[in-house]
Amino acid sequence: MKVDVLLGLQWGDEGKGKVVDVLTPAYDVVARFQGGPNAGHTLEFDGKKYVLRSIPSGIFQDNTINIIGNGVVLDPVLFMEEAKALEASGVDIKGKLKLSKKAHLILPTHRLLDAANEKAKAAGKIGTTGKGIGPTYTDKISRNGLRLGDTLHNFEAKYAAARDRHLAMLEAMGEKPEIAELEAKWLDAINYLKEFDIIDSEHAINHALKDGKKVLCEGAQGTMLDIDFGSYPFVTSSNTITAGACVGLGVAPSRIGDVYGIFKAYCTRVGSGPFPTELFDETGKTIRAIGHEYGAVTGRERRCGWIDLVALKYAIMLNGVTKLIMMKSDVLDGFDEIKACVAYKINGETVTEFPYSIEEETIEPVYVTIPGWKTQMTEAKTYDELPQAFKNYVDFLEKELETPIAIVSVGPDRTQTIVR
Ligand code: GDP
Ligand code: IMO
Ligand code: MG
């Protein structure tokens, strides 16, 4: 069997959680392969809303095993909060969730280092989620990290060495934090973590594939936040693209099947960094208001703009997307016209291939204007019911992106999903 991958093509928050939840009944295993609690994946069904940070979005469907893969960084305290909330709402989390021994742990001092790094960058700050993601991946790459598997033997000494190293780094940055309370909470959460099945997840996934099981890999963040191909340095610290699923789960490239690329019918970004199609006017504010564009976890305002097809084509290329999924189509229901960026003008030159730099000062988006549909689509159940002007937008996008749009989403609820 092959694994299918579902990931974001923009700057995150495309609606990955919702679609993973919708697709899960067709899968035996759902696995997260990178990122950590910087993610906030929202699911809505039966009048309830859930936000998942580290736990895969397949957790609400019966009979599906969920895996937190080796490529993920895990904060035990946030994990415990999330898992206990799910347990309280009746999810058999301990029965359905497995964690990789090779996933790296986020220490309390990683979060403090994240904050100190941001403070040191001052005006050049990345606008991270403050969850310690960068420092944890830094420790992983520099071979100083602690992994879940470490909790099983002689853990306290390994932890103390890492903590002391971090405290020395913080001191060199002028920070002298009091961590006793944070540490006690964290060690308590480590004990909770040990109640879970901590496994060699690369073996489990490959056994599942051999047994003919269907596996869905759930991406976090989005392609434009990829550490290699995103708008560096305003990116996250992991590979968010399809290749990340191979290294983040131990799945061979030849095992990749369908790649579902998710995008919003427009575009958003949180944190700092360039965003060529950002709208600073009333239209941007309207999109934010109608789309409720505020961070799922942090509540931060998301910056809003028109869809950027130059960046989307780049994302499709990097990920090998086989099927596109368009989210939040309903947010544009009231607009007279919609714009799509088809090229950038950089120093007077028209560029259609995503360039090395997309710094705002030198870049000007070239737009085409598409008539709006001015029809509320949130109640639609089939593609046939949707207005012709919307279908024209879909046709236009498919032609530009040379990839089929397999699903359109017309609202946050599970049921507001139209498979073509
Ligand atoms: P993720 O990080 O990619 O899982 O996305 P988030 O959960 O951070 O953000 C997506 C937001 O849009 C959430 O509040 C969802 O409930 C909401 N959402 C998802 N799909 C749709 C849609 O088609 N229409 C509308 N109006 N909201 C949607
Ligand atoms: P989901 O999975 C949107 C952004 C942060 C910041 C940058 C680096 O919900 O789509 P980090 O804390 O990762 O070091 O922050 O990346 N960012 C996200 N933006 N959605 C996310 O996740 C994000 N995860 C990180 O805002 O600009
Ligand atoms: Mg999100």
Side-chain angles (χ1 to χ4, degrees), residues 32 36-37 39-41 51-55 78 81-82 131 297:
R32 276 276 305 267
H41 294 181
V51 179
L52 298 172
R53 301 174 186 185
S54 302
I55 294 171
L78 294 179
E81 245 173 51
E82 193 177 331
K131 299 293 186 294
V297 176

Side-chain angles (χ1 to χ4, degrees), residues 114-125 173 175:
D114 195 355
N117 287 339
E118 285 284 88
K119 195 168 144 196
K121 282 183 194 280
K125 73 174 185 180
M173 296 174 89
E175 309 281 340

Side-chain angles (χ1 to χ4, degrees), residues 350-396:
T350 303
V351 172
T352 54
E353 247 181 31
F354 194 78
Y356 173 72
S357 166
I358 51 163
E359 291 302 320
E360 292 101 312
E361 304 90 69
T362 59
I363 201 158
E364 198 190 311
V366 178
Y367 288 114
V368 297
T369 302
I370 298 117
W373 43 94
K374 305 278 279 176
T375 311
Q376 195 195 318
M377 302 197 294
T378 49
E379 303 296 320
K381 296 286 171 238
T382 63
Y383 195 71
D384 283 349
E385 290 169 55
L386 298 175
Q388 188 54 46
F390 172 74
K391 291 181 186 161
N392 293 345
Y393 184 47
V394 171
D395 291 347
F396 163 77

Side-chain angles (χ1 to χ4, degrees), residues 220-239:
Q221 290 79 57
T223 302
M224 302 316 292
L225 289 169
D226 181 88
I227 184 74
D228 280 275
F229 298 104
S231 47
Y232 192 90
F234 300 100
V235 293
T236 191
S237 297
S238 63
N239 282 115

Side-chain angles (χ1 to χ4, degrees), residues 118 124-130 234 270-272 300:
E118 285 284 88
K125 73 174 185 180
I126 290 161
T128 71
T129 58
F234 300 100
V270 263
S272 331
R300 285 188 294 175

Side-chain angles (χ1 to χ4, degrees), residues 12-14 16 39-42 296 302:
D13 301 329
E14 295 89 349
K16 297 174 291 291
H41 294 181
T42 315
R302 292 179 185 146

